[in-house]
Amino acid sequence: MPKTTDRESRSEREDLQQTLQRLGFNENEARAYLALANSYPATAYEIAKRSGLQRANAYGVLRSLEAKGAIQAVNESPVRYAPRDPEDYFGNLAHSTQALCASAAREMAALAQPDNDTFMWFYEGADAIDRKTVDLIQAAGQRIWIKGPDALISPLLPELQAACERGVQVIIIGFGTGIQDLKRHPDMQVLPHEGDATVSRGATDVMLTMTTDFDGVLISTRVPGLAPSASYARNRSIIYVVQTLLLHEIYLAEMLTSMGDEIEGRFGKGLARLRKKYRPPGMEKHVLEGS
């Protein structure tokens, strides 16, 4: 087994000191605590010598650590100190900190009165986007409209199914050969985009758009080679515009299901004539290239 070098030991000690400081110890408290943990019970003089603190300062530092509950006096004449059981101390610290943070979050939420029309929240990274998406689905009370490729919607199916079971309307406008597998509940509607989900157009393979109730809209992109990103807005005008676009997708899917041959005879398969007439070339470039 490789022997730990003095340099490695110092590095580990410095890392631990930084950890203690992030947990609320000041630098002198962290140094004294580590010095005591190294060998105890110990007097203030011994702790000061090991930690490099001035002896006069050590007494105040030890009183502070004792007040925190991190150490305790174990005998008198002279007073010697020992650390309290680390698992008990840091376990209690974690519990009290968690409770304090939860309380602060509740109070700040009650205190804050944000103007949602002025904010756009940005998320980066798959984990952050997944958490936000799931949170929105779980919070939905009336409707979830979602448009995207089957590969991005499939991981959300358990949450979407649960939403259906609590009476939320779920409409999926899907792309991909696997959209027939997305319907996991009798009340879930799955519509092929523009009547043919197998045709990939523009940035459809990498983008997911979702609105929940009339409360918010999330648009996420997952382009290979680029960091996944998403934007979330609660601006009423933005929500209205996106929901209107999704509604027109729903209308079009219904019309193509009923009158597909007639519509394609007039405008071409996949509405090719309309696309050629109105769609700017390279419209998807900025999404796919991240520029």
Side-chain angles (χ1 to χ4, degrees):
M1 182 176 179
K3 187 176 180 180
T4 302
T5 66
D6 289 342
R7 179 177 295 177
E8 290 172 336
S9 179
R10 282 196 303 273
S11 176
E12 291 172 0
R13 190 181 183 86
E14 288 169 359
D15 289 344
L16 185 51
Q17 181 175 318
Q18 291 297 318
T19 298
L20 292 172
Q21 290 180 231
R22 286 196 293 272
L23 289 171
F25 286 56
N26 63 36
E27 182 181 351
N28 287 344
E29 289 171 343
R31 288 166 59 187
Y33 184 75
L34 289 174
L36 177 59
N38 189 60
S39 179
Y40 57 86
T43 65
Y45 171 77
E46 291 168 334
I47 295 167
K49 188 174 180 181
R50 291 183 210 147
S51 63
L53 297 175
Q54 294 292 327
R55 186 176 179 183
N57 294 338
Y59 290 102
V61 171
L62 292 171
R63 282 195 297 271
S64 177
L65 288 171
E66 194 171 11
K68 288 178 183 289
I71 68 172
Q72 59 185 334
V74 294
N75 63 272
E76 299 179 352
S77 301
V79 177
R80 287 186 170 84
Y81 297 91
R84 291 186 180 273
D85 182 86
E87 290 190 4
D88 287 345
Y89 172 68
F90 288 106
N92 290 334
L93 180 62
H95 178 76
S96 61
T97 301
Q98 183 179 24
L100 194 61
C101 288
S103 175
R106 287 192 301 270
E107 291 178 18
M108 285 300 298
L111 180 65
Q113 297 293 330
D115 182 355
N116 289 321
D117 281 351
T118 65
F119 288 101
M120 175 78 77
W121 289 266
F122 180 74
Y123 298 85
E124 189 169 55
D127 289 344
I129 296 169
D130 291 344
R131 282 195 301 272
K132 183 61 179 178
T133 307
V134 169
D135 286 347
L136 290 173
I137 293 173
Q138 291 178 342
Q142 296 176 297
R143 60 187 55 82
I144 300 168
W145 296 346
I146 186 167
K147 171 186 171 183
D150 53 3
L152 294 184
I153 295 175
S154 291
L156 303 173
L157 288 177
E159 301 299 337
L160 292 171
Q161 182 177 350
C164 286
E165 290 172 356
R166 63 177 187 268
V168 176
Q169 178 196 59
V170 175
I171 301 179
I172 297 172
I173 304 149
F175 310 90
T177 56
I179 71 159
Q180 69 277 4
D181 299 323
L182 298 180
K183 188 175 177 66
R184 297 291 180 86
H185 191 277
D187 296 333
M188 186 183 292
Q189 290 181 264
V190 180
L191 305 172
H193 178 251
E194 295 183 2
D196 187 354
T198 63
V199 178
S200 175
R201 301 182 179 96
T204 56
D205 287 342
V206 300
M207 182 174 288
L208 185 142
T209 304
M210 182 176 77
T211 67
T212 55
D213 300 334
F214 292 108
D215 200 41
V217 56
L218 180 78
I219 301 173
S220 62
T221 56
R222 311 212 184 194
V223 180
L226 298 177
S229 63
S231 297
Y232 172 66
R234 298 188 66 185
N235 178 284
R236 288 164 291 184
S237 297
I238 294 174
I239 294 169
Y240 179 80
V241 168
V242 174
Q243 288 191 326
T244 299
L245 291 172
L246 291 179
L247 267 177
H248 282 84
E249 295 274 12
I250 294 167
Y251 299 158
L252 184 56
E254 291 277 8
M255 287 188 289
L256 285 165
T257 298
S258 300
M259 308 168 59
D261 292 341
E262 183 179 344
I263 292 173
E264 288 193 346
R266 169 93 176 159
F267 298 110
K269 186 171 178 60
L271 308 179
R273 295 192 190 103
L274 289 178
R275 292 179 186 282
K276 184 177 180 180
K277 182 176 180 180
Y278 292 109
R279 194 176 194 278
M283 184 175 167
E284 71 282 1
K285 178 179 177 182
H286 295 301
V287 173
L288 297 177
E289 296 182 3
S291 58

